[in-house]
Amino acid sequence: MVASASSSGALLHANGAPMPLPEPTASPPGYAFPRQNLKRRLTRPDRVPLVLVACGSFSPVTTLHLQMFELAEKYVKQRDPGFEIVGNYMSPCSDAYQKASLAPAHHRIQMCSLAVDTDSTATVAIDPWETVRVDESGRPLYSPTVDVLRHFDHEVNSVLGGIETPDGRFTRARVMLLIGADLAATMADPKVWDPSDIDVLLGYYGAFVVERTQDAIAPLEKYDKIWVVPTIINEVSSTRVRAQIQNGERVEDIPNSVYKYIKLHHLYQREPTTNGQPAETTNGNTD
């Protein structure tokens, strides 16, 4: 049964009955949600507070990862869809993702932090939640994208109480995915994504899709919570960066501080092998 979203944002079954969202996954002991760059008060009363979340491997983080947030900010200001961005977050995936090119989580967290610190205009925060979740034996746990967005929704709206309006009230922030066209193009494929997850991700939360054409999201037109952010044609990807490092080529698509970190820790010198590898798109992860 396909779900749909009501005008109020609630997720509904096809028969119109409310579809309650499951409780968010508990955070591990010692975890603290990064609040430092979260804007706690709106500047305009007629805007909906928006928190953008980019999930991915970030192995390594590239300049395009940061530019996606900048493009979304520019889109919101120029196209005026009624939002005010109050939070930008990167959520690096867990080591349980087991992708062959995946650097250990602590390296990826550090590289993301270096990239954000290098960009003086960046307002992006790095949330380590996915990387610090472990099972009873201490092994990393895998977090589907649906659980990641529920986590942000819970932290911002339940724990912090939402975002304050100029008149002193508090309102719920909208939490949405920030993704690229390649990932969006896979979302209509039930062999890659669980349709019930997509109903929550796009029917309840929504997404800002950074792409060059609208062809990628054509199969997703039934969802009305997708905003297409135009961008220029580019060849930037973590895959390309890793290949350049392995080939000893000049790397220009990552911040210099990240490149120095990679060289210092001898990352991506050769592709490691793995015995098992989940499908990359089942968690909304991109390079």
Side-chain angles (χ1 to χ4, degrees), residues 15 23 77 188-189 219 256 267 280:
N15 61 9
E23 289 297 317
K77 290 180 178 179
D189 187 348
N256 189 50
L267 302 177
E280 292 184 17

Side-chain angles (χ1 to χ4, degrees), residues 33-46:
F33 180 70
R35 310 179 184 182
Q36 62 271 23
N37 289 336
L38 181 66
K39 188 176 180 181
R40 299 303 309 282
R41 195 170 193 269
L42 286 172
T43 57
R44 295 180 58 177
D46 59 339

Side-chain angles (χ1 to χ4, degrees), residues 33-90:
F33 180 70
R35 310 179 184 182
Q36 62 271 23
N37 289 336
L38 181 66
K39 188 176 180 181
R40 299 303 309 282
R41 195 170 193 269
L42 286 172
T43 57
R44 295 180 58 177
D46 59 339
R47 291 295 179 263
V48 175
L50 174 62
V51 174
L52 292 175
V53 180
C55 297
S57 302
F58 303 110
S59 188
V61 61
T62 69
T63 53
L64 181 58
H65 288 130
L66 293 177
Q67 289 171 359
M68 288 176 63
F69 291 98
E70 296 171 4
L71 290 167
E73 181 77 40
K74 182 178 180 181
Y75 176 89
V76 167
K77 290 180 178 179
Q78 292 183 347
R79 303 294 181 90
D80 193 19
F83 297 112
E84 180 176 333
I85 298 177
V86 297
N88 291 309
Y89 287 91
M90 289 183 184

Side-chain angles (χ1 to χ4, degrees), residues 92-162:
C93 69
S94 165
D95 286 339
Y97 187 39
Q98 295 183 353
K99 184 179 178 181
S101 58
L102 195 67
H106 68 279
H107 284 311
R108 292 182 286 113
I109 292 290
Q110 185 61 30
M111 286 188 286
C112 286
S113 298
L114 286 170
V116 170
D117 291 343
T118 300
D119 188 343
S120 60
T121 64
T123 58
V124 182
I126 315 303
D127 187 359
W129 183 78
E130 289 190 66
T131 68
V132 297
R133 294 187 61 232
V134 296
D135 62 18
E136 293 180 354
S137 63
R139 292 175 298 188
L141 282 173
Y142 177 73
S143 301
T145 305
V146 170
D147 289 347
V148 177
L149 291 197
R150 288 176 182 139
H151 155 70
F152 277 94
D153 193 352
H154 173 72
E155 291 289 344
V156 175
N157 292 314
S158 298
V159 177
L160 297 180

Side-chain angles (χ1 to χ4, degrees), residues 246-266:
Q246 290 166 8
N247 295 331
E249 300 174 11
R250 183 182 180 87
V251 181
E252 298 180 342
D253 296 329
I254 58 177
N256 189 50
S257 59
V258 174
Y259 181 70
K260 290 180 178 178
Y261 184 91
I262 290 171
K263 298 296 287 185
L264 176 65
H265 294 278
H266 309 288

